[in-house]
Structure formats: C-alpha cells, structure tokens
Amino acid sequence: MSSPILLLEEVFRTEGLPEFTFVPAPNYNEILLDIRRPGKPVILEGQSGTGKTSCVRRIIAELQDQAATEYLTARNPVHISRIEKIVHEQIAGRFVVDDFHRLSQQLQEQIADVAKLAAEVRDQGDVPKLIIIGINQVGASLIQLVPDIAKRVGIHRILPGRRQEIAELIKSGCERLNIRIMNADAIFDETQGDYWLTQQICQSICSAANVTQTVEERTDVTYDIGDIRRRVVERLRAAYYPAVKDFCRGRRFRPSNDPYFKLLREVGQQESSIVDLNEMANAHPEVRGSINNIKERRLEILIESKPNVALHFYYNADTKSFAIEDPALFYFIKHLDWNQLRQDCGFREHGEDFEFDVALSFAGENRALAAYIAAALLSLDVTVFFDALFEANYLGRAWSAQFTEVFGRKSRFVVCILDIRHSEKIWPTFEREVFAPRIANASVIPIFLDDTKFVGIPRDIVGIHFKFDPTDPDWKKKVDEEIIYKLIDKLSE
C-alpha cells in the first residue's frame, strides 16, 4: 500500500503544532507528569523557537482526559481581560498563559498568588490549573513574587534540540516526503537546535529542489546553505524589515542618532535572542555608550511608542532584559545586510560611540533652566547628562572623576550655560577646565546669559545668547524657540 500524499507545508510546519515532525524535548515526560497533576502550577521557560507551546499542546492532546483547555496569550488584549477574570474569580479549569513575561507586574503578582493557592489546595477541590509559558527566568521571577511556592510548582526549562533530536525531526519529515536530504547534519550547524528554524530550513531546501509534496520515487535532495539562507531571509523581509527600520531609527529620527541600530546589530551577533543589556555593555566597549544611553528609559519609551516595534521586541527596564521572541525575526536579524540597512535608515557614519549626545554644565542658580532643557531634549530622543538624573548611578563615586569622563569624552557635545555664577562656582569652574580643550573641535555650545568673560572661551565663539527671566510666563516657549530648536538642528548635522 502506497504512502499518503502529504504537502510540504504539512510535513515541515512553520506554523502551529507539527503533526509529522514533532520531536519531544529531553525532559518531555517530566513536563507531562506535572501537567497531568490536577491543580499543580507548571512553568515552562526558554528562548523562542524551543517549542514550549508545541510541547504543551502535544502533551494535552496525548492526555486525552477530555478536560477543556483554554489557551491565552499576553499579546491579545481580549485574552488579558480573560486572564484578569480568571485570577479575580479563581475560575476552575485548565489554562495555558503564554507570554507571561509581557503581562503587567501587577497581573503577574496576582497570577503568582493564584498559583500559590492552587499549589496548596490542589487535592482539596476545584482550583485553576495554570500552565505558564515565558522566556528565560520567568520561573525564577515568579518565585521571587511568591517565594514559598518554589517546591510546589513544576518549573521546566526547554532547551534547543540536541543534534540527535534535530536529526530525528529531519528524518521523520524526509520519510513522509519520500526523500533524503543530503548532508542533513549541516542543518543543525545552521539552526543550532532551533526547532522552528529547522522546519523553515528544511521547507526551503525542499522548495528549492521542487519538492512540494510526497514524491513517488525516492529522491536525493542537495542544497547550498548560503543559497537557502538568502531564500529564507528574503522570504522574511516583507514581514520584518519595516519593524527593524522603525526600531533602528528610534523614536525621533536624526541622522546621527543610531544607538538603537548599534544595539540591534550587536544582538544579531549573539547566540541567544535574549540578552542582558548590562552584561552586553560591559562585554562590548565599542557599543557600551550606545547601550548605556538608551537602556534606562529611552528603549522602553521607543517600544511603547511604536506598535510595530512593540509587536516584535520586548524589553524589561527593571532587569535590563532585551528579547527578540520570534525566532524567524532573530534569524532575519542575524543575516541582515547591515550596511544596506544603515543606508536605508538614513544614518551617517561617525567614528566615536558617545554615551551622551549632550552634557549640561550650569551653576545651581540656573538649575530650572537646565532641567527644562534636559527634559525637552529627552522628549526628542536626545541623550542628556543632567546631574540630577544620574545621582543614583554614581553613588559612592567621586563626582570629579565622573565629570572628567562625562565632559571630557563621553558626550558628543557640551552645552554650557554661562553667566557670572558659572565663573564663580567651584564645580562649574572644574567642568569648564575639563571641556575647554574641546572648544577647538567645535564640540562645546555655549549659552550666554550675560556678558561675563571666561578664560579659555574665545569672545568670538558662536553661541546662543539668551535672556533668562524665570518670572516670564512664556520663558519655556522662548527656550524652545531660541535654544532647543537650534540644538536639535546642530545634533542633526
């Protein structure tokens, strides 16, 4: 009896649960036991592409216990409302909560409380059976929310497939299609055990060889991995390139404002699609400034302000964890033409990587003016060193050492608010001594509030002359028109 004719996309599936090419994770049975146990909360964590959701669906299908299972994801606003209802009313049933890490901190805490209750009374009555799915460390995060549930919760981390699991996946698909992919072992070297990517690569190999369904006669299929890689990347371009460009250009585009571009390019060179930005900044000094000047607030604001970016990128500002959760997007980014992307974004090349676009130097009497300038520039996606914003960062350190770094080399421009007080005060004088040598390369922009003369600052230097009157109800509007717009024009050069 001949084998049934199967379509290529049914065999090597890139969407949904693989029917013919599913391979269980090494800890599949341990996960099954915990999912099967009534009431016991279960947490599955791991990077995207490891098959967490597919594993859960396969186990539940295998149980055949007739119990209804409701699948919910934090990416769907309707599902979030349903999760809130389940938590508040403690509805009995089996619930899979995917993308747990994307839920609000408050809702995560509420889920943790329900998980604790379910863990305590699971043998005493109907309680919600929670199966929580998220990226790395979601289990540890949940335990931190409710520490005493650690021993009552099944926490499992699904790792990428090993060479033998990937070989079994490919073999199963080839048998269904009646083919043999030559040099199949090289596919693991390309995918590093990513289940989704393995499915996609195999599908592309077959498609390039005109195998679109089960063939009648056994066929050997050869391929060139470079060609297959280009095919996959080109296939993904329409779906991902706009979002990648939006991310790289930042919240407000300027040709010199490229820290997001540098961050994403560096992420694309990592083995994992989930990175700790503190660790990355420390390990890669060439992009340390770019990462440091966006990881506190700007990156979070960018993702929140652009829906297309929020759909594809995740960032936790508290833990500094940045994630590309879609394995297809991560593969696309790893193999991008970054020079072409830089051109398409409209960036100009510049050699140095500054931690700040602007460092503000001012006397304390002009703090209100400096604070407004800092806030206005920050709202326009400009990185600003304003001392009040960084006091916590420098606790225990000497200001003199930090100011020497900031005003000497860590800032692209120094904007100094000059008046008689700046000339008389100790700290502003120290800052002036640090940034004075930079006047020669036009990286100091003075704002003159009066006619005070300063040693080392030429009288004919082109600056901004501004009359600051804090009693004027329109002073902020005047700052925008006479200072902020000029600074933005200069930063855009």
Side-chain angles (χ1 to χ4, degrees), residues 122-406:
R122 62 184 183 228
D123 296 323
Q124 302 175 21
D126 289 338
V127 291
K129 168 72 175 184
L130 297 176
I131 303 170
I132 298 169
I133 302 175
I135 61 173
N136 291 354
Q137 302 304 314
V138 70
S141 300
L142 193 64
I143 288 173
Q144 289 172 4
L145 296 175
V146 184
D148 54 347
I149 69 172
K151 295 181 180 179
R152 303 185 184 99
V153 175
I155 301 177
H156 305 274
R157 184 167 188 265
I158 298 184
L159 300 173
R162 296 169 299 187
R163 195 172 290 273
Q164 56 264 41
E165 278 94 35
I166 297 303
E168 180 61 30
L169 187 160
I170 298 170
K171 178 183 176 183
S172 298
C174 288
E175 289 175 350
R176 298 287 181 172
L177 294 171
N178 196 28
I179 64 172
R180 180 174 61 172
I181 296 179
M182 308 302 292
N183 194 26
D185 194 54
I187 296 175
F188 178 86
D189 298 329
E190 180 72 8
T191 67
Q192 293 300 304
D194 185 296
Y195 292 111
W196 175 87
L197 186 53
T198 300
Q199 300 276 1
Q200 180 63 73
I201 293 292
C202 289
Q203 189 183 111
S204 296
I205 288 173
C206 293
S207 176
N210 294 319
V211 175
T212 60
Q213 62 182 31
T214 305
V215 297
E216 293 183 3
E217 296 185 7
R218 178 86 168 174
T219 303
D220 289 342
V221 174
T222 61
Y223 64 94
D224 174 81
I225 195 62
D227 176 63
I228 297 302
R229 185 184 300 144
R230 286 188 293 271
R231 285 173 176 266
V232 173
V233 170
E234 189 57 36
R235 182 176 178 179
L236 299 173
R237 179 174 296 276
Y240 297 125
Y241 203 62
V244 169
K245 279 184 62 178
D246 276 352
F247 180 92
C248 290
R249 287 167 65 91
R251 187 181 176 203
R252 295 179 184 273
F253 172 72
R254 298 193 314 278
S256 60
N257 183 37
D258 64 353
Y260 307 100
F261 172 89
K262 291 179 177 177
L263 166 63
L264 201 59
R265 182 176 59 186
E266 191 61 45
V267 171
Q269 297 176 32
Q270 308 305 305
E271 292 298 324
S272 173
S273 62
I274 305 170
V275 297
D276 182 310
L277 294 194
N278 285 332
E279 293 180 359
M280 178 177 284
N282 291 332
H284 301 279
E286 69 278 7
V287 293
R288 183 177 299 155
S290 291
I291 293 174
N292 285 342
N293 72 30
I294 63 176
K295 67 183 175 68
E296 297 301 332
R297 291 192 297 171
R298 291 173 69 196
L299 181 55
E300 185 178 30
I301 293 172
L302 166 64
I303 293 176
E304 289 176 350
S305 66
K306 291 189 173 184
N308 192 32
V309 172
L311 184 65
H312 295 96
F313 302 95
Y314 167 79
Y315 182 58
N316 186 317
D318 294 326
T319 64
K320 303 299 182 287
S321 176
F322 177 77
I324 300 170
E325 300 172 87
D326 185 340
L329 174 57
F330 186 54
Y331 186 78
F332 179 72
I333 287 172
K334 287 181 75 71
H335 298 293
L336 265 178
D337 182 337
W338 289 96
N339 290 329
Q340 184 61 53
L341 177 60
R342 171 175 280 280
Q343 293 179 28
D344 291 346
C345 286
F347 291 126
R348 288 195 294 270
E349 290 286 352
H350 55 81
E352 295 185 74
D353 184 51
F354 296 105
E355 189 163 339
F356 304 100
D357 293 320
V358 167
L360 286 174
S361 175
F362 59 94
E365 290 80 359
N366 295 316
R367 178 168 292 277
L369 174 59
Y372 182 77
I373 292 173
L377 291 175
L378 285 168
S379 71
L380 296 171
D381 205 22
V382 175
T383 52
V384 182
F385 177 82
F386 176 63
D387 58 4
L389 298 176
F390 292 90
E391 287 178 347
N393 298 55
Y394 296 130
L395 287 175
R397 303 180 186 180
W399 273 123
S400 57
Q402 305 312 316
F403 283 2
T404 299
E405 290 286 294
V406 170

Side-chain angles (χ1 to χ4, degrees), residues 18-45:
E19 180 180 357
F20 305 109
T21 53
F22 176 83
V23 291
N27 53 345
Y28 181 85
N29 288 335
E30 287 82 359
I31 299 170
L32 183 150
L33 294 177
D34 280 343
I35 290 179
R36 188 168 64 185
R37 182 71 182 270
K40 183 175 184 179
V42 181
I43 298 171
L44 270 72
E45 59 183 25

